[in-house]
Amino acid sequence: SQTIHQWPATLVQPVGSPLSLECTVEGTSNPNLYWYRQAAGRGLQLLFYSVGIGQISSEVPQNLSASRPQDRQFILSSKKLLLSDSGFYLCAWSVGTGRYFGPGTRLTVT
Amino acid sequence: DQQVKQNSPSLSVQEGRISILNCDYTNSMFDYFLWYKKYPAEGPTFLISISSIKDKNEDGRFTVFLNKSAKHLSLHIVPSQPGDSAVYFCAASANDYKLSFGAGTTVTVRA
């Protein structure tokens, strides 16, 4: 069966510090991979999606970036965090229309 | 641009009663709809889906109804149980990689 891992589970970072969140998927090949953010009291906002290694599409302009160095690895990064980057970050994968979400990372920027 | 809207941020229902969650959408190209359930500090989990060629899909206590002419769908939970207390997200797809989510409805089931 397929599983998706995200780490860390929680993170507190100061403004201006870098960020690296990692996501890996097991049990499937060539999945579509996604990064979502859920801000407090809001829905799920698609940040990035990837249909293959090295292929990244950005949905919103921001100071975040994503990379897919391996088929089942997706990384969310920032060089300098902003206060507004606080939120719950979710990695997801799909083969088809549905989405299967990871456990999420709670990021607090102070 | 919010293409999927859940206008009720919260819903409180007594255990054993029916929970009805509503969702409206604006994009007529959406042809696949999903409901997700999310507990605090966890990722959303898939609950039930419906294709635009159907107007009803049932899975146990969960039924989703789709009214294409009104661009409206609803999720019925019967009977509601305490474990159903969670945030429910409606999502819609136009057969591409993008899945548009509503803002969510927090359901509280009272004992």
Side-chain angles (χ1 to χ4, degrees):
Chain A
S1 63
Q2 299 87 1
T3 55
I4 180 168
H5 304 279
Q6 273 187 256
W7 63 92
T10 59
L11 190 60
V12 181
Q13 291 283 97
V15 168
S17 63
L19 172 73
S20 181
L21 302 181
E22 190 163 343
C23 169
T24 59
V25 181
E26 296 177 359
T28 185
S29 295
N30 198 30
N32 295 331
L33 296 174
Y34 309 83
W35 277 110
Y36 286 87
R37 175 171 61 201
Q38 183 192 9
R42 301 186 63 182
L44 299 171
Q45 180 187 33
L46 179 64
L47 302 175
F48 301 94
Y49 70 92
S50 170
V51 300
I53 295 174
Q55 300 179 63
I56 308 295
S57 295
S58 175
E59 287 297 300
V60 292
Q62 59 209 323
N63 68 319
L64 300 171
S65 62
S67 62
R68 185 170 178 176
Q70 301 179 43
D71 180 47
R72 289 171 284 180
Q73 184 185 28
F74 206 21
I75 298 172
L76 182 70
S77 304
S78 174
K79 293 181 179 178
K80 289 185 177 182
L81 284 168
L82 305 173
L83 283 174
S84 57
D85 292 324
S86 292
F88 193 56
Y89 288 82
L90 291 154
C91 180
W93 71 274
S94 74
V95 178
T97 306
R99 297 288 183 276
Y100 302 94
F101 289 88
T105 295
R106 170 71 60 191
L107 172 65
T108 303
V109 182
T110 60
Chain B
D1 179 24
Q2 196 73 7
Q3 298 187 74
V4 178
K5 297 180 182 179
Q6 293 177 254
N7 292 319
S8 297
S10 63
L11 172 69
S12 180
V13 63
Q14 193 165 11
E15 183 178 1
R17 298 293 187 104
I18 183 172
S19 293
I20 300 177
L21 291 83
N22 294 304
C23 178
D24 297 291
Y25 61 95
T26 57
N27 189 343
S28 58
M29 299 300 292
F30 287 148
D31 62 359
Y32 193 68
F33 305 88
L34 308 92
W35 284 95
Y36 285 84
K37 176 180 179 180
K38 182 183 181 301
Y39 293 116
E42 294 183 12
T45 55
F46 170 75
L47 201 54
I48 193 169
S49 64
I50 188 167
S51 163
S52 60
I53 63 173
K54 301 175 72 174
D55 54 19
K56 177 182 175 181
N57 189 26
E58 190 172 354
D59 184 2
R61 297 185 297 113
F62 302 92
T63 303
V64 56
F65 296 92
L66 176 62
N67 183 333
K68 290 186 290 293
S69 60
K71 294 191 178 67
H72 177 83
L73 67 156
S74 61
L75 174 69
H76 292 207
I77 307 173
V78 183
S80 299
Q81 299 174 354
D84 296 330
S85 295
V87 179
Y88 290 78
F89 290 100
C90 169
S93 171
N95 198 28
D96 60 10
Y97 298 112
K98 302 176 186 179
L99 199 60
S100 297
F101 285 86
T105 297
T106 300
V107 173
T108 304
V109 180
R110 310 185 309 272

